[in-house]
Amino acid sequence: MNKAPVIGIDLGTSFSAAAVLSNGKLETIANLEGYRTTPSFIFYNEENSNISVGTTADDQSIRCITNFFYDVKRFIGRDYNDVYVQLIKNDENYRFNLTNNGDDVVFKFKHNGKLMTKTPEEVSSEVLKYLKNSASEYLGAEVKEAVVSVPAYFCNAQKKATRKAAELAGLKVLKLITEPVAGALHYFRANPKIKGKILIYDFGGGTFDVSVIEVKGKDFNVLNVEGNSFLGGRDMDNLLIDYFKKILKNKYGQQIITPRLIRRLQKQCVLLKEKLSIHDEYWVVLENINGSEENFELSITRKQYEEIIHQLVAMSMDSVKKCLRDLNITPEDITNVMLVGGVTRTPLIRSTVAQYFGASKIKTDVNPDETVALGAAYQAALLIKQCTKKENIRVTEVTPLSLGIETRRGLMSRIIEKGSKLPLIRDRIFSTIGNDQSSITFRIYEGERSQTIYNNYLGQFTCDDLPKGKAGDVSVAVIFILDCDGILRVEVKVLSTGRKTKFSVTLQEYRLCENEIKCKVEDAEKNRHDDDVFESYVNIYSSVKRVINHIMYGLENIPSIIEKEYVKRKCSELDEYIEQTNSNSSFDEILEKFQAFHKVIKGIVDDIDVDFEEALETITDVIEEYE
């Protein structure tokens, strides 16, 4: 076999595709059955070793519902306790058996006569193997390398899991490209004269992304990304399924709803969704509905369908508006709007986006099902220098989420802000919080909230052998070095000694887990207020703790043993009190406690280097701000 070119792969929630740049032309690779896109379906045969993918898996699904897997991308990189995983686990529309192996999500089923478990990465790898084999067959050479697309709003854990799935399929991943950037690259190659700020509205089968990309000549600069990794066409399908299930229950009773019927209903609802993009009304038939020859007609108008899905479209526009708002730009600043993903054929989506940006800006002259795979293939060709010098495009992506360190009381101190261009280096100085502290453990998080309990934990590292000193006197500079592949290198420099220590922390090792408290959908302004109050509380807490630590560090300057023990006891009482407070505590009460503490010891600690006024000013400023 000859050496095969590098391919581009769009691993989608509902459909996947592969493409290649061959003889100067981008083309989607037909799969082994001759189709240009492959349903992301996998079926494991109960009795033998056969594994089916795509339409064949779909055809086999009715034989054993629990062995038929779809929407696997929605689980990839997620923790078993993630609220979204639990929602699907308890949804009767999903019939496969979800369980856990420690914190990991696994699918449990019988295959080849044996009971087994597989991770989402292992199941997804079957789709990638199928695309790899299809491409190898088409190109006449074994495909070994690929550029694989991921949603722009995927966190590091999800990106890592996607890369692992590709490796399990026997593919070396040259790059993970975000889906909106891939779509924009393909569009740019076909329309090289475009320029300005382009908005990519990417409504896929399982995820929604919006990106603003500024095109200047050959430079592609991603300015901002927003999205929802649990909003997609599948949610429209599920709303339709629930709509017809209610009708079926009313006519035939609850007993009519069986796993096999739900699977049949799913297939027909997908068809209805697609047909309603073309027709004002459509109907399909469920044959032999009640174990007899009776048929049931599923009939719906486009107007009824739009009433069912309008809230999902509104949610996508919320992300669009936030993306623009964060950049401080308006719809008028956008020169082109590109629609990506088969769901964007939905008339309600097109009319809503057109109404917001202006119909003339909406670009529909690319195939939304194939453009991501084609863009990934173009990126692959650029990476291996397969393109001409004229096509030397430079792509700069950004971080979808902020990265930072957890400090006192779970406060997130951001080091790399959301939307920062990659690659980059950022640093921040942190100080010891205890007297003679010998080490500091830094916990890394990603997310936008000030409280780390609402963000994603990524990993930790420890800086040891710190010099002795009073709390706050020993400082270290934490340097984050983030490369284009999402790998974080950390350097810590102890400022008083100049000693530098390097750490290698792979951000993508830790699975996403959004528990219920993290997933409360709250008003953005309320979140901001809560975070502001929390930050103010941590400032108060830190100021009080600093005073206590400084007094304790200088106790030897008090000559009287009796007075020394008295001060120590008062410090212990205040410390016990402040440790029991939180952001909901009365700031006035904290001020009263601190003033009382100051009053009884101020004459005794005159020879100790401690700044009461700074702490008092911090507390009173916060109280005045929130009066």
Side-chain angles (χ1 to χ4, degrees), residues 208 228 230-231 310-320:
F208 173 76
N228 186 332
F230 236 78
L231 172 64
H310 79 277
Q311 190 172 358
L312 299 182
V313 178
M315 287 171 64
S316 75
M317 291 306 296
D318 288 341
S319 293
V320 169

Side-chain angles (χ1 to χ4, degrees), residues 57-103:
D58 194 11
D59 294 338
Q60 299 286 315
S61 64
I62 206 70
R63 291 179 51 192
C64 182
I65 300 297
T66 56
N67 281 34
F68 175 66
F69 299 98
Y70 59 97
D71 291 2
V72 178
K73 185 175 175 178
R74 287 192 151 181
F75 301 97
I76 205 161
R78 289 186 179 272
D79 188 289
Y80 177 74
N81 293 315
D82 184 289
V83 66
Y84 293 127
V85 172
Q86 293 303 310
L87 281 173
I88 290 181
K89 184 177 185 294
N90 297 316
D91 188 338
E92 68 175 358
N93 292 340
Y94 292 85
R95 304 309 303 185
F96 37 71
N97 184 11
L98 271 177
T99 185
N100 66 303
N101 179 14
D103 291 333

